[in-house]
Amino acid sequence: MSADSDVVRLLADPLRAQLVEILADGPACPAYLVAETGAKQPNVSGHLKQLREAGVVQAEPRGRYTFYRLVPEALQGAALHLADLGAQARANADNFRS
């Protein structure tokens, strides 16, 4: 598995996908993400940790708060991976295997 396919798999979770959508509008702290999603703080923090470990978000300490921002290259790599799979599926649509 490539890192790009790992990112696609991570984004399959509805809450993680929602966090990424919110962060697309700019960096946010966990308290803001909790308020926007209605999820519990430990749940949001756990998802942010997974996204950080996968390189999808970066943590940025600012005073008393830690803000999370998206890493655009990680999302672009995942998008290219999906586009490649689509092209492969299109090219092989008539190759029935048994």
Side-chain angles (χ1 to χ4, degrees):
M1 279 303 139
S2 72
D4 296 329
S5 63
D6 290 342
V7 170
V8 171
R9 195 175 312 102
L10 271 176
L11 296 179
D13 180 89
L15 180 54
R16 279 193 294 268
Q18 186 180 11
L19 293 172
V20 167
E21 286 183 28
I22 294 167
L23 292 173
D25 285 332
C29 66
Y32 179 83
L33 296 170
V34 166
E36 286 293 303
T37 62
K40 302 279 186 205
Q41 192 275 332
N43 199 12
V44 168
S45 292
H47 285 298
L48 288 171
K49 179 181 178 193
Q50 289 178 311
L51 291 167
R52 188 173 30 94
E53 289 173 349
V56 177
V57 300
Q58 291 177 330
E60 184 178 316
R62 287 189 166 235
R64 294 178 20 178
Y65 300 99
T66 298
F67 286 80
Y68 290 84
R69 73 172 58 243
L70 286 178
V71 177
E73 296 79 12
L75 294 177
Q76 290 166 339
L80 289 173
H81 175 71
L82 288 173
D84 288 344
L85 287 175
Q88 182 180 349
R90 189 175 304 109
N92 296 309
D94 294 327
N95 295 342
F96 292 88
R97 298 172 288 158
S98 58

